[in-house]
Each structure stands twice: as C-alpha cells, then as structure tokens.
C-alpha cells in the first residue's frame, strides 16, 4: 500500500463561541529569538534546490549543519530517510544528520515498536542530543501526532520540546513541510476544507448542533483547530494552499480564531514552496516554485444580509512569489527590482469568465488572479463559487481596490512570474440550481474550415518534440531530449522566431541550448517572419520574401533540428505558406529535413502548428457554447470565445494537438474540435505546460517528457445529440505523465512500470463534492480525476460545472469498465498519477443562482 502525506481529520470542531484557553500562546517571550524558520507547504521536490540550500545555509552551512529530523507526523520512516538522503545529496554530512526518536505511535515499515518513544521525550540524552543541533526538521503527515509526541498529557512542554525552543532561541533553524508547517503557529489547523470552514464561519448557527458523525458524511469537512507549537507567533499558517484550495479554510480560521487580526497576516503556503522567517529582521522571504497567499483580515467583518444570511466582507488577498519579502511587523511587502507593476500597464484585455470548475482557464487562484484579473485591463471584478452537490455554497467576489496591484517578470526562461497585492474579497452565501437546458438560446456554429492531408506517414524518418508552452530553462529532460534527437551536442539547429513579436524567446532558447552543450556556432535564428519585431533597427517584415529564398532553403536542408518558438501560431503559417496556400520553398525544405531524420520541435504556438488542423483561438466554454468562428482577433481570441481553426503545417499526422492544456483548461475546446473536424479513430492530444510529447515516427509511438502530463481524448465511442450541440456521452479521457507511452495507431497506452494500479487498491474512500473553481481542491483536470475519482473507493462519478450567468455545462466523469489509475512517487515524495479511460458526459444546463 502506498504511503502518502495526509492531514488528520478533526481533533475538535471550531465554533465562533469557542473561548481560547486551549489556544493560549505557546511561548509568550519571543522577542529574543535568533533562529529562523523554513515553513514549507508540502510536496517538496528533491530537485527544489532553493529550499534545501536555504535550510542548510541557515543551519550553519553544508559542512557545519547538524540536523535532527522528527518523524512523528508520518506512519513510516520513509519520508525521514528520504529527507536525510536529500540533505546528503545537497552536501550535508550524513553522520551529522539524525532521525530523532520522537513519536507517539509505531511505524509500519520497521520491526521495532516506536510507540515506546513517547516515554523518552523527557530523557536527558535526547535533550542533550537536540541541544547539539543547528537545525530541526519536521516531516509531513498528521500534525496532531507531532504535538502529542512533544507535549505531555497535561499540555506542558516536554524536555525535548524545551530543548528545541532553546536552540531556536540561540540561532538554530526550525523547518517543516506539510504537517511540519501546520505546527509552526499557535493556532494549528488540523482539518477542514474551504467549504466546511466557510460554513463554520458564516453559518455557524445552522451547523453547530449537527453531530460530528453527521457532518463527516457530507462532501465537505468542517474546520478544526488545536494548539500548535508556536514557533511562528505572527499569524496562522496553512499549507498545501493552492493545490488543495484552502484559501476559504484559512480565511475562516483567521476570522474566527486569530486574536490579533489587526496586527497579523494569515499565511497559506503552496506546495514545493517555503516561507523563510527571519526573526531578527522581522521579515519573511518566499522561496521555491510557487507562492504564499497572504490574508489581511484586519477590516473583515460579518454583515447580516439577504434574509439573515451573513456576508464576510473586506478581506484583502495577496499572493507572493519566490524572491518577494514580507515585513510581518509593518505588514508590508517588498518585491525584486526587476518586477514591474501591472497597474496602468495591464498586458491582457479580455472578458474573463467566472472561475467555475475544470474548464476555467487559469483555474488555480494565483494564476486566475494574475492573468484573468489583476493584469487584465478589462476586468474590475471577478467571481468564483464553491458549493456541494445540493447547491448549498458561496459566491467569492474579487474586486480591484485603490491599493490593488500586480508585479510581473520572467522567471526560469520565459515563464510569467506574478505577485498580487490587496485584492478585495467578499464571500456571500448562495444557492445553486442546475437543470438540463431544454431550449438553448446560444447560437452554435459548425466549422466551415477544411484541411487537406499532408504527405504520407511512412516516408518520415525524423521525430517531433511538441511542448505545451511555458518551457522552463531548467527543464533538462525536455532540452536534452531535443538535443539528442538532433544528433547530440554536434547538432545543427535553426530557430524559427516568426510566432513572436520580439527576439527574446528565440535568444533565450539559443542561450538554453548553449547551456545544455550545443555549440553556439551551430545555432542560428532563421530570418523567417511576416512582421516586424520590436526593439530592433531592422524591419523584419521584409523577411516575408525569404520563405522562397533558395539560399535559406538550402541552409534549412543542412539542419538536424528546427525549433518554433511561441507566440501567435498564425504568424508561423503566414510566414511559411504562399498567399495561395501552397508550401513555400523553405517549408518544403523543412519537410525535406524532417523526412530525412531531423527533429522538429516547438512550444506553445510552435506546438499548435504541428497538426493538420490548427487550433488558433477560443476557449472551452466558448467552443462548447458557440462552436466556431471564421474571424480571428489576434492574441485576445486565444483567451476566449468560439474556436478558430486554420490549416497547420501537418508534421504530426495522428490527430489533433492542443497546448497550454492544464493552465488554460482547453479540454472543451479540444473535444469540440475533435468531434467536428477530427478523425474519431484517432486520439486527440492536450499537452500541459512545461511538458513535451515526443513523437517517434518510426515506432509510431509517443512518450511524455517534462513536468506535467498529456490528456488523451478518444471519441471512438462517443454519442452525440445531433439536435442539441455539445451534448455528448461516452467520451474517453486518459491522462499520462513522464515515462508513459502511447501507440499512435493502436491507441494502446503503456504506463511507466514503476507505477502501481489503484483499481481495488484505492488510497482514499470519501465523499467529494463537485469541482467548482478556485476553492475546490485539485483544480487541474488530471489531479481532480486522480484524487477524487480513480484513487477514491467511494467515487463512481464526479462532477464539474462550467457556466456564465445562466447558461453552462455539467461535466460528469465516470469510472468505466476500462478505467484505471496508476500511481508512484516522483521527484521526492510528490504523487504522480496516470489515468486511463475515464468516461465523460457533457450536458448543457440552465443555471439559477440565488
């Protein structure tokens, strides 16, 4: 049975009437603390060198660090041993790292009985060992086990806990992940989800007389808290913030239990991320790969409205990124100098849909607030929802205020890095009613586009590497794969810049190739474009004639790899096809090199051009609702509206390809296009960001490389209602991850043999509510299907909704006879799931929100 880190359920339920002797501060005198804290949100990857190196640096450096690992939260010693291995990998001395005998229970992977360790927490030998340490680390699992292991039955500190406090005061670093983060504050959240916490906070009178057993049978988990260890005395800490959508839980806990709301923020730490607390400077630095949510509850108030239902108003939400700092004494933020403000300089201008479920672009909180709201000049307000299957829930309304702002820069190549400050958030109780749409008022238009086939399959000796966008410079697996397919470090590579409006992405990709070992003189940015580039003295629009240059075509024939950068895919096709639609000489040369063994690669727009039918615009809701359009409104249409199709370059001949699949939630767009214009005997492929689909034409096989996954859409058994658009049954959805492979002709999926089947071996067994948007856990499609369906014994089907005003779609994902899940750990102790053949039904609905 696999071992995963899961927070424990309730130790007691929190009500607003709760007095606080239990939550009295753990240590009143904290002004003299010289030590630091590394508070990680869970899911730390072994490759996350920023967190490991920061922890070892604060512990005195790699050579001097003396680390004690406390395993108490876990049910095995596996995570403690793995953390020790990781520290050694990063340069620490193995002999200076000890797994401390602190536990109140036995471990399942040892022969000894560790439950006897509980009696040793007052042992002088253990206290003496701790006092010789420069760092202590708490692994993840169940936070209540940590507290119970280190506190005595009367609630007082054990000698071991006193020793930890002693070294912390003198300069040691205390760190922890997941449960090991939850114990850091005085108010320790031990259970609950956002919906349950909001019900406790806003509608307490309705719920306080319901028994614990009755409440646990519902689809939400009520909020519960306990007294933590209090190493961080300046607000509440929560973890797994973005992945498990805990903002509502943190808001409920902070509003109900935090005594110093006016003085303190409340903090939610994302997975693979840490907040590093410097007690001397009274500052927090964000380190890692995601972000830290910060809630200012100082002006929040519960206002009775709408037939005595209370509205929680005036919460301020901020979301900080790696490199940002928080002064927790002044309650202020500091950002790196290379970040630029978005206020008054917003990049986007589109009408963002409300965040309603797994078809919402930018469906996690930080991404949604960044792209769809703060950096979007068209948006003054936005909404999300959370509710149970009976329709009882809340509207979460976001508004721009005078002090609302965003800060942006590139990070890890050309990934967007956003910080968000002071978005106003109000939470209002609502009821939701969904009924089948019997007479749609939406005008669905079928596509008029047609695309001829490209040359025959069997003549192609080359390969493809199709990346879903936002490719990180640090993604060595993708870069090394492309270079190896191009012939290794002696590869001769041409970069096609046409999709972009600047040379930044082309120059960055060239720099990355050089970093990975390709000779600079063997890489050339090819003069292929039909438009001018910003920031240059040359007018690159004159390059349009180069598409028929014999000299350039000859040069292309000598390349072993060609890369198409991201941007607007229509600019690529417009730069390589003649006005009559025929292939230019340069495009013919690209085909020549590809047929004879070269690798063609591309990211984002450079992925979209790979199939015959190119998806160039629209979003999932727009495609399902309105079908297709014959007009193209530049980059803005990539963010929403009906689907727009053009003829692609046809290098991939086994189905449709779509990109940015997870972040832009393009499942509905891909399904609609595949149904209307695809070959139903072929799969369609949605590629996540920072991930590549590697196509081996000789073996007629794809494999997944990178950090995300690929969604496979199979319409071979689909049933559609010809009289009612977007009414589908029996779509088969699979999601595969690095190491998995698919046969392009038989559609057989070959799962990485390191993974184990979840079927009849499900880890979870619990009721789950519908996925509703920013406050629903596991908002990315693959994780929603993994945690809530294929690895959940109680779930036979799960639902998500996509709607705007009173029209939308109900998505029902069902276990079919062929459904299975496959699981393994990856990159440390992160869950890695593959999902095979989940059935999906899509039904148009009317929506009534009151």
């Amino acid at each position: 049975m696999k071992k995963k880190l899961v927070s424990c359920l309730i130790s007691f339920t929190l009500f607003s009437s709760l007095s606080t002797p239990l939550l009295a501060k753990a240590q009143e005198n904290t002004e003299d603390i010289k030590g630091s804290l590394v508070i990680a949100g869970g899911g730390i990857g072994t490759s996350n060198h920023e967190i490991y190196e920061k922890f070892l640096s604060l512990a005195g450096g790699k050579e001097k660090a003396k680390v004690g690992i406390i395993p108490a939260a876990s049910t095995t010693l596996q995570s403690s041993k793995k953390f020790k291995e990781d520290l050694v990998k990063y340069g620490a001395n193995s002999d200076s790292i000890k797994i401390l005998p602190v536990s109140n229970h036995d471990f399942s992977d040892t022969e000894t009985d560790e439950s006897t360790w509980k009696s040793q927490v007052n042992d002088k030998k253990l206290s003496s060992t701790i006092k010789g340490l420069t760092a202590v680390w708490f692994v993840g699992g169940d936070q209540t086990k940590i507290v119970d292991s280190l506190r005595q039955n009367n609630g007082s500190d054990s000698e071991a806990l006193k020793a930890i406090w002693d070294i912390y005061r003198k300069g040691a670093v205390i760190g922890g992940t997941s449960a090991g983060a939850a114990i850091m504050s005085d108010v320790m959240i031990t259970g609950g989800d956002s919906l349950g916490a909001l019900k406790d906070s806003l509608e307490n009178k309705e719920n306080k007389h319901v028994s614990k057993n009755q409440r646990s049978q519902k689809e939400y988990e009520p909020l519960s808290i306990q007294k933590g260890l209090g190493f961080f005395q300046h607000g509440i800490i929560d973890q797994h913030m973005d992945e498990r959508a805990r903002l509502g839980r943190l808001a409920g806990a902070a509003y109900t239990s935090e005594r110093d709301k006016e003085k303190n923020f409340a903090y939610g730490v994302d997975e693979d991320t840490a907040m590093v607390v410097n007690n001397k400077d009274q500052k927090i630095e964000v380190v890692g790969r995601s972000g830290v949510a910060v809630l200012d509850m100082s002006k929040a108030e519960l206002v009775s409205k709408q037939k005595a239902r209370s509205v929680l108003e005036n919460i301020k939400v901020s979301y900080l990124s790696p490199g940002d700092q928080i002064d927790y004494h002044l309650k202020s933020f500091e950002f790196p100098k290379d970040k630029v403000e978005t206020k008054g300089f917003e990049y986007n201008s589109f009408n963002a849909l409300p965040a309603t479920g797994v078809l919402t672009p930018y469906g996690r909180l930080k991404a949604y607030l960044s792209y769809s709201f703060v950096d979007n000049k068209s948006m003054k307000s936005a909404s999300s929802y959370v509710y149970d299957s009976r329709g009882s829930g809340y509207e979460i309304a976001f508004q721009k205020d005078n002090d609302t702002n965003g800060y942006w820069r590139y990070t890890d190549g050309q990934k967007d890095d956003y910080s968000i400050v002071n978005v106003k958030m109000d939470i209002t109780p609502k009821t939701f009613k969904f009924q089948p749409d019997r007479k749609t008022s939406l005008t669905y238009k079928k596509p008029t586009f047609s695309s001829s086939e490209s040359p025959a399959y069997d003549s192609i000796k080359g390969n493809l590497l199709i990346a879903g966008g936002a490719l990180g410079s640090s993604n060595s697996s993708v870069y090394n794969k492309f270079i190896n397919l191009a012939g290794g470090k002696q590869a001769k590579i041409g970069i096609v810049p046409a999709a972009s409006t600047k040379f930044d992405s082309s120059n960055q990709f060239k720099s990355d190739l050089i970093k990975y070992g390709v000779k600079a003189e063997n890489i050339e940015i090819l003069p292929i474009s039909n438009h001018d580039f910003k920031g240059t003295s040359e007018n690159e629009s004159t390059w349009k004639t180069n598409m028929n240059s014999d000299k350039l075509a000859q040069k292309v024939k000598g390349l072993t790899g060609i890369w198409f950068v991201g941007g607007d895919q229509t600019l690529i096709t417009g730069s390589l096809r003649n006005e009559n639609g025929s292939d230019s000489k340069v495009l013919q040369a690209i085909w020549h090199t590809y047929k004879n063994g070269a690798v063609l690669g591309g990211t984002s727009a450079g992925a979209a051009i790979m199939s015959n039918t190119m998806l160039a615009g629209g979003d999932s809701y727009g495609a399902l609702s309105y079908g297709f359009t014959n007009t193209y409104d530049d980059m803005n249409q990539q963010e929403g509206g009906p689907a727009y199709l053009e003829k692609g370059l046809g290098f991939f001949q086994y189905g449709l390809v779509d990109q940015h699949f997870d972040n832009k939630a393009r499942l509905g767009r891909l399904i609609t296009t595949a149904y209307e214009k695809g070959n139903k005997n072929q799969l369609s492929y949605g590629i996540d960001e920072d991930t590549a689909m590697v196509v081996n034409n000789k073996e007629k096989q794809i494999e997944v490389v990178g950090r995300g996954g690929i969604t496979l859409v199979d319409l071979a058994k689909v049933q559609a209602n010809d009289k009612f658009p977007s009414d589908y049954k029996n779509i088969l959805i699979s999601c595969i991850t690095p190491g998995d492979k698919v046969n392009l002709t038989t559609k057989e999926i070959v799962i990485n043999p390191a993974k184990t089947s979840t079927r009849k071996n499900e880890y979870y067994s619990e009721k789950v509510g519908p996925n509703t948007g920013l406050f629903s856990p596991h908002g990315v499609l693959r994780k929603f299907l993994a945690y809530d369906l294929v690895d959940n014994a109680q779930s036979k089907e799960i639902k998500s909704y996509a709607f705007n005003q009173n029209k939308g779609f109900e998505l029902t994902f069902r276990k079919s006879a062929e459904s299975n899940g496959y699981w393994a750990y990856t990159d440390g102790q992160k869950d890695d799931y593959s999902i095979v053949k989940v059935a999906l039904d899509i039904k148009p609905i009317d929506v009534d929100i009151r």
Side-chain angles (χ1 to χ4, degrees):
M1 185 64 180
K2 52 190 177 279
K3 312 298 178 190
K4 292 188 270 190
L5 310 181
V6 181
S7 293
C8 174
L9 247 150
I10 308 163
S11 37
F12 68 89
T13 301
L14 171 67
F15 298 126
S16 60
S17 58
L18 179 68
S19 59
T20 58
L22 179 63
L23 303 178
K25 288 194 174 182
Q27 299 280 333
E28 290 294 344
N29 183 18
T30 59
E31 292 80 4
D32 59 343
I33 296 174
K34 298 177 181 178
S36 303
L37 299 172
V38 176
I39 305 173
I44 301 177
T46 300
S47 62
N48 194 329
H49 63 88
E50 293 93 346
I51 291 178
Y52 282 98
E53 290 177 356
K54 191 73 173 181
F55 181 70
L56 287 173
S57 173
L58 293 170
K62 298 173 183 178
E63 294 79 16
K64 296 182 180 179
K66 296 180 179 179
V67 183
I69 301 171
I70 293 182
S74 185
T75 56
T76 72
L77 284 180
Q78 181 183 7
S79 53
S80 298
K81 292 176 180 177
K82 186 68 175 68
F83 187 72
K84 179 175 179 177
E85 289 175 11
D86 290 343
L87 292 178
V88 172
K89 172 186 171 184
Y90 281 98
N93 187 335
S94 178
D95 293 337
S96 299
I97 306 169
K98 303 179 188 298
I99 297 176
L100 301 175
V102 177
S103 176
N104 66 349
H105 61 280
D106 191 23
F107 293 99
S108 62
D109 57 348
T110 67
E111 295 182 0
T112 58
D113 182 4
E114 289 84 9
S115 64
T116 61
W117 287 357
K118 170 70 174 176
S119 62
Q120 299 180 37
V121 291
N122 290 310
D123 185 83
K124 290 183 179 180
K125 182 178 179 181
L126 176 58
S127 297
S128 178
T129 298
I130 292 171
K131 288 180 179 180
L133 301 173
T134 61
V136 172
W137 184 267
F138 296 88
V139 300
D142 177 352
Q143 48 265 51
T144 64
K145 291 178 179 177
I146 300 175
V147 174
D148 187 60
S149 298
L150 284 170
R151 283 221 172 93
Q152 300 184 86
N153 292 336
N154 63 1
S156 62
D157 292 356
S158 65
E159 294 301 315
L161 182 53
K162 291 177 182 177
I164 294 170
W165 268 100
D166 182 63
I167 63 171
Y168 176 43
R169 289 183 184 281
K170 292 177 179 177
V173 58
I174 309 297
T177 184
S178 188
I183 55 98
M184 293 289 180
S185 50
D186 275 323
V187 176
M188 179 177 74
I189 302 174
T190 60
D193 56 24
S194 283
L195 181 56
L198 292 178
K199 285 183 176 292
D200 284 336
S201 304
L202 276 71
E203 302 180 69
N204 187 248
K205 291 179 181 179
E206 296 180 16
N207 292 297
K208 69 179 180 179
H209 297 302
V210 180
S211 72
K212 182 193 297 185
N213 183 59
Q214 287 175 308
R215 292 158 72 86
S216 66
Q217 295 302 308
K218 295 188 178 182
E219 300 159 345
Y220 55 85
E221 182 187 345
L223 178 67
S224 58
I225 65 169
Q226 186 175 311
K227 180 182 177 183
L229 297 185
F231 299 122
F232 181 70
Q233 292 269 303
H234 308 285
I236 298 176
I237 303 289
D238 206 350
Q239 16 77 48
H240 298 281
M241 176 57 52
D242 203 33
E243 168 61 28
R244 300 186 188 176
R246 285 175 167 170
L247 188 74
R249 172 170 112 158
L250 180 60
Y255 180 77
T256 312
S257 64
E258 175 60 53
R259 295 182 301 174
D260 297 319
K261 289 190 286 288
E262 293 187 6
K263 189 172 73 173
N264 295 327
F265 286 141
Y267 304 85
V269 191
D270 288 351
E271 292 185 359
D272 220 6
T273 308
M275 50 183 277
V276 178
V277 181
N278 183 319
N279 286 297
K280 181 180 178 181
D281 294 340
Q282 298 184 324
K283 287 188 177 181
I284 297 167
E285 179 185 6
V286 182
V287 175
R289 290 181 175 150
S290 189
V292 174
V294 182
L295 292 185
D296 185 347
M297 306 294 294
S298 60
K299 296 181 181 178
E301 57 180 343
L302 204 60
V303 180
S304 294
K305 293 181 179 180
Q306 300 181 349
K307 297 181 181 179
R309 300 187 82 188
S310 299
V311 179
L312 187 56
E313 295 183 332
N314 294 321
I315 301 169
K316 284 293 182 75
V317 179
S318 300
Y319 227 117
L320 304 194
S321 299
D324 299 342
Q325 292 192 347
I326 307 162
D327 186 313
Y328 59 74
H329 177 66
L330 297 177
K331 293 180 73 175
S332 63
F333 307 115
E334 299 174 20
F335 304 99
K337 292 181 180 179
D338 60 341
K339 278 193 172 176
V340 296
E341 294 186 41
T342 63
K343 192 171 186 177
F345 305 94
E346 292 85 357
Y347 180 79
N348 296 307
S349 181
F350 64 95
N351 292 320
L353 294 172
T356 58
V358 294
L359 292 190
T360 300
Y362 315 113
R364 301 309 319 145
L365 180 68
K366 183 183 174 188
Y368 185 76
L369 291 182
S370 299
Y371 295 98
S372 295
F373 188 58
V374 171
D375 200 17
N376 188 344
K377 68 180 71 173
S378 297
M379 300 295 289
K380 303 300 181 186
S381 62
S383 295
S384 184
Y385 308 93
V386 60
Y387 43 83
D388 59 26
S389 61
R390 297 179 303 168
S392 173
Y394 304 90
E395 177 185 56
I396 298 94
F398 301 101
Q399 290 184 319
K400 287 178 180 175
D401 221 333
N402 291 332
D403 55 352
T404 302
N405 207 341
Y407 299 84
W408 171 90
R409 67 176 175 184
Y410 279 132
T411 183
D412 190 15
Q414 286 198 305
K415 293 185 178 182
D416 292 324
D417 177 31
Y418 278 102
S419 305
I420 302 146
V421 297
N422 297 322
V423 171
K424 183 176 179 289
M425 180 173 76
D426 298 335
I427 302 172
T428 304
K430 297 281 186 180
T431 56
F432 301 79
K433 189 174 182 179
F434 304 108
Q435 292 182 316
D437 186 353
R438 302 298 184 189
K439 189 176 180 181
T440 183
S441 60
L442 302 176
T443 305
Y444 181 95
K445 294 182 179 180
K446 285 186 171 289
T448 58
F449 165 82
S450 62
S451 176
S452 59
E453 293 296 317
S454 290
Y457 307 152
D458 295 334
S459 61
I460 300 173
K461 297 178 183 177
N463 301 294
L464 299 172
L465 188 147
I466 309 174
L471 180 62
S473 297
S474 63
N475 195 329
S476 58
S477 59
V478 172
Y479 279 96
N480 287 332
K481 191 72 175 182
F482 180 73
I483 292 167
N484 289 338
L485 290 172
K489 295 180 180 179
Q490 302 303 316
K492 295 181 179 179
I493 296 172
I495 300 171
V496 177
S500 186
T501 57
K502 298 186 295 183
F503 280 111
D504 290 3
S505 52
S506 299
N507 289 329
Q508 179 67 57
F509 190 72
K510 180 177 181 178
S511 175
D512 290 340
L513 291 176
I514 294 169
K515 182 180 77 171
Y516 284 102
V518 181
K519 294 180 180 179
E521 59 268 26
N522 287 354
I523 308 168
E524 182 174 351
I525 297 173
L526 302 174
I528 298 173
S529 176
N530 65 354
H531 60 280
D532 192 22
F533 285 81
K534 298 175 182 177
T536 68
S537 56
E538 184 177 357
N539 182 4
E540 289 82 9
S541 64
T542 61
W543 288 0
K544 185 169 183 178
T545 59
N546 289 348
M547 72 169 74
N548 287 305
S549 163
D550 291 324
K551 182 178 179 181
L552 182 57
Q554 196 61 37
K555 178 180 288 186
V556 167
K557 289 180 180 180
L559 300 173
T560 61
I562 298 171
W563 184 264
F564 298 87
V565 301
D568 182 344
Q569 46 265 50
T570 65
L571 297 178
I572 301 176
T573 55
S575 300
L576 286 171
R577 281 218 173 89
N578 297 309
E579 290 185 5
N580 64 2
S582 62
D583 291 357
S584 67
K585 290 181 179 180
V586 169
L587 182 53
Q588 292 173 26
I590 294 172
W591 268 104
H592 174 85
T593 59
Y594 177 41
K595 288 179 180 179
N596 285 280
V599 59
L600 307 184
T603 183
S604 186
I609 53 99
M610 292 289 179
S611 48
N612 280 318
T613 298
M614 180 175 77
L615 287 83
D619 68 346
S620 286
Y621 183 82
L624 289 167
S625 299
Y626 308 109
F628 298 83
T629 179
N630 293 324
T631 59
Y632 182 62
D633 184 20
D634 196 34
M635 293 290 286
N636 286 334
Q637 193 164 335
Q638 295 191 22
E639 301 298 341
Y644 174 73
L645 306 178
E646 282 195 6
K647 180 176 172 57
L649 299 185
F651 302 125
F652 179 69
Q653 302 191 334
Y654 299 91
L656 297 172
V657 171
D658 208 347
Q659 19 75 47
H660 295 283
F661 206 71
D662 53 351
N663 204 31
K664 297 194 178 184
R666 286 176 164 168
L667 178 66
R669 176 171 107 161
L670 184 58
I671 288 170
T672 306
T673 306
Y675 181 77
E676 298 285 3
K677 300 303 300 181
N679 180 340
K680 294 180 180 58
N681 293 317
Q682 295 178 326
L683 298 173
S684 296
Y685 304 83
I687 308 170
D688 289 350
E689 294 187 352
D690 216 7
T691 307
M693 182 171 87
V694 180
V695 181
N696 184 320
N697 283 300
K698 181 180 179 181
E699 300 292 335
K700 292 183 171 53
Q701 178 178 268
I702 68 160
E703 66 173 315
V704 188
V705 177
R707 291 175 176 152
I710 296 174
T711 300
L712 311 174
V713 175
D714 188 345
L715 298 183
K717 299 179 181 179
V718 70
Q719 300 171 22
N721 184 347
D722 292 334
K723 297 180 180 179
F724 210 98
S726 301
D727 187 347
Y728 300 111
K729 292 183 179 179
N730 293 326
I731 301 165
L732 290 181
I733 304 293
S734 300
C735 301
I736 56 176
T737 59
D740 298 339
K741 299 177 181 180
V742 180
N743 186 292
L744 290 163
T745 53
T746 67
K747 302 193 289 189
E748 179 188 4
I749 299 170
V750 180
I751 300 297
N752 185 337
K755 293 178 181 175
T756 57
S757 171
T758 63
R759 191 164 187 169
K760 297 183 180 179
N761 188 36
E762 291 87 355
Y763 185 79
Y764 301 99
S765 182
E766 56 192 40
K767 289 187 176 182
V768 293
N771 186 286
T772 59
L774 306 181
F775 279 28
S776 286
H778 319 304
V780 175
L781 176 68
R782 174 166 51 91
K783 294 187 177 182
F784 173 54
L785 296 181
Y787 292 103
D788 287 358
L789 185 63
V790 299
D791 205 14
N792 187 348
Q794 279 201 49
S795 286
K796 304 302 180 188
E797 64 178 38
I798 53 176
K799 294 183 184 294
S800 180
Y801 294 90
F803 56 89
N804 185 26
Q805 296 180 346
N806 65 340
K807 292 290 183 181
F809 301 92
E810 178 185 74
L811 282 67
T812 303
F813 297 91
R814 299 180 282 107
K815 287 178 179 173
S816 70
E818 302 171 284
S819 297
N820 205 344
Y822 298 88
W823 172 90
Y825 279 133
T826 182
D827 190 14
Q829 287 194 308
K830 293 184 177 181
D831 293 325
D832 178 27
Y833 280 101
S834 301
I835 297 113
V836 173
K837 296 184 178 178
V838 166
L840 167 62
D841 302 334
I842 301 177
K843 181 172 65 177
I845 54 171
D846 288 320
V847 183
D848 183 18
I849 305 174
R850 297 184 181 182

